[in-house]
Amino acid sequence: MTPAKKTPAKRTTRKRTPAKSAAPTRRADSAQAQVTRLLSMLPYLRSHPSAKVSEVAALFGVSERQVIRDLQVLWFSGLPGLQMGDYIEVDMEAVEGEGIISVSNADYLARPLRLRTDEAVALIVALRTLASVPGSFERGAVERAITKLENAAGEAAQQAASVQVQVDGDAVADVAATVRGALDAKNRLHLSYWVPARDEATERDVDPMRLVVVDGRLYLEGWCHRAESVRLFRLDRVLDVKELDVAAEVPSEARPRDLDGGLFQPSPDDELVTFELTPAGRWVADYYPYESAEELPGDALRLRLRARDRAWVRRLALRLGSTGRVVAPADLSAEVTAAARDALAGYGG
């Protein structure tokens, strides 16, 4: 969807609904986040005529003010080659105190998406890579998808054969094979596992539950007898793994984690940390879930997020450098300052 060049034209009368006070949001108000959201929001609005602003805001996890800002981007936008009267139209009006959204001139959004040659080849390569990874995937479904894409792409699919992707190396593949064998046999595993936050190797027995891929990396999810809880173990941090001649006994109350929202999912019991970020540091809001975001002068951002590990906060603050700082809690801010001084001292600063 390409924004069209604006020319003087008489706009349809639109009554803008006054936005209510912004609720805490977990999404960053960045251009990338906004475009991603709109690509999902537009088809939803086409299939739900006269949707309420409040309902759309709740569904997409943003404030009502942000929904209105998103929709304002759409006015006089459309596909290349369209005339002025063909661009997307968005009308918002107040009905009994509730903002109602109507979208028109967007019928082409319901058309089936077509893949370009490069997109089809990239998807075939990705699926072939996934099929080669030892894991708990439905290989039949992956193979069927590859076959359909290859048939649709025709000769272009041959380009995918020249691309080779290596996932995490042979060591991880060996670990994954052992884990896969324990999963099939329903046996317990013994892991020597490196914990980077403490820079130490730990020994633990784990009853495996599944292998998952998150952000391109393989993880073992299982019941850890050391922690007496469900844990995720990154396979490239497994120093050694052995399948034991002991049946796995995953407790009935153990449940796989919902990873749709990403690997890092803070708990309400985690410590609340406040960052103040310059424009160059706003990327933090794109990568980590947060409790609230407050705009500051100069396009700066005050971000409140929960952290389970203070060492992680210190590393993030040092990575930000001059583009962000921890302002609360005060003792954590002091820890970050001390860590920065120690780092500078190491360089003779």
Side-chain angles (χ1 to χ4, degrees):
M1 185 170 62
T2 305
K5 183 177 180 181
K6 294 184 177 180
T7 57
K10 183 178 180 180
R11 291 191 178 188
T12 305
T13 301
R14 301 176 178 86
K15 297 179 182 179
R16 299 187 184 181
T17 306
K20 299 178 182 179
S21 58
T25 174
R26 292 182 180 272
R27 294 177 183 261
D29 186 14
S30 65
Q32 180 179 0
Q34 188 178 55
V35 170
T36 301
R37 193 162 53 244
L38 281 171
L39 289 174
S40 298
M41 190 182 295
L42 265 174
Y44 174 81
L45 293 174
R46 289 296 298 149
S47 60
H48 294 78
S50 301
K52 296 180 180 179
V53 174
S54 59
E55 293 175 350
V56 176
L59 178 63
F60 287 90
V62 295
S63 67
E64 294 181 31
R65 186 186 301 274
Q66 185 61 52
V67 170
I68 294 173
R69 288 175 178 169
D70 290 347
L71 294 176
Q72 287 173 344
V73 174
L74 293 176
W75 289 340
F76 296 104
S77 296
L79 297 177
L82 295 179
Q83 301 300 314
M84 181 60 67
D86 298 324
Y87 297 145
I88 296 173
E89 288 285 336
V90 179
D91 292 295
M92 289 176 278
E93 59 181 346
V95 177
E96 297 181 354
E98 181 72 57
I100 303 297
I101 307 169
S102 296
V103 176
S104 58
N105 284 355
D107 292 338
Y108 48 81
L109 291 172
R111 299 173 185 169
L113 296 177
R114 295 182 180 275
L115 295 176
R116 300 194 308 267
T117 300
D118 59 331
E119 293 173 333
V121 170
L123 191 53
I124 292 171
V125 171
L127 286 171
R128 285 179 177 172
T129 303
L130 182 63
S132 67
V133 173
S136 55
F137 313 111
E138 181 55 56
R139 294 185 180 275
V142 174
E143 295 294 343
R144 288 193 297 272
I146 293 174
T147 300
K148 290 180 180 179
L149 280 170
E150 288 177 339
N151 291 338
E155 294 182 0
Q158 298 176 5
Q159 301 177 26
S162 62
V163 180
Q164 295 184 353
V165 179
Q166 184 177 3
V167 181
D168 278 339
D170 294 336
V172 171
D174 291 341
V175 172
T178 302
V179 172
R180 179 71 265 173
L183 278 166
D184 292 340
K186 296 181 173 55
N187 283 338
R188 184 169 297 171
L189 290 164
H190 179 79
L191 303 182
S192 294
Y193 189 72
W194 176 58
V195 182
R198 300 192 299 271
D199 192 22
E200 67 175 357
T202 61
E203 303 292 325
R204 57 189 77 208
D205 288 345
V206 178
D207 292 335
M209 296 165 61
R210 61 173 177 165
L211 271 170
V212 293
V213 175
V214 184
D215 297 330
R217 296 190 180 276
L218 271 171
Y219 289 81
L220 161 67
E221 184 173 32
W223 178 263
C224 176
H225 288 268
R226 174 175 173 151
E228 295 186 346
S229 180
V230 175
R231 289 289 187 268
L232 280 168
F233 302 96
R234 220 171 89 175
L235 294 200
D236 61 342
R237 292 177 180 169
V238 174
L239 304 177
D240 189 33
V241 58
K242 293 180 180 178
E243 181 181 349
L244 304 179
D245 190 18
V246 178
E249 298 179 355
V250 179
S252 58
E253 67 272 15
R255 294 289 183 271
R257 288 175 54 182
D258 181 4
L259 299 173
D260 290 343
L263 184 65
F264 178 68
Q265 298 176 19
S267 163
D269 297 329
D270 294 340
E271 186 172 31
L272 186 61
V273 181
T274 302
F275 280 87
E276 287 189 355
L277 306 168
T278 70
R282 292 176 68 108
W283 60 266
V284 174
D286 289 327
Y287 285 87
Y288 302 106
Y290 55 85
E291 292 273 312
S292 65
E294 178 185 349
E295 294 290 339
L296 299 176
D299 203 26
L301 187 69
R302 180 178 291 120
L303 200 69
R304 294 181 178 88
L305 52 80
R306 294 198 176 271
R308 186 176 299 113
D309 183 4
R310 283 196 164 193
W312 175 84
V313 176
R314 291 194 296 270
R315 291 195 299 270
L316 176 58
L318 293 175
R319 179 182 175 189
L320 283 166
S322 62
T323 66
R325 64 191 184 101
V326 175
V327 296
D331 63 328
L332 180 54
S333 178
E335 288 182 21
V336 172
T337 300
R341 287 174 178 164
D342 291 343
L344 287 173
Y347 288 95

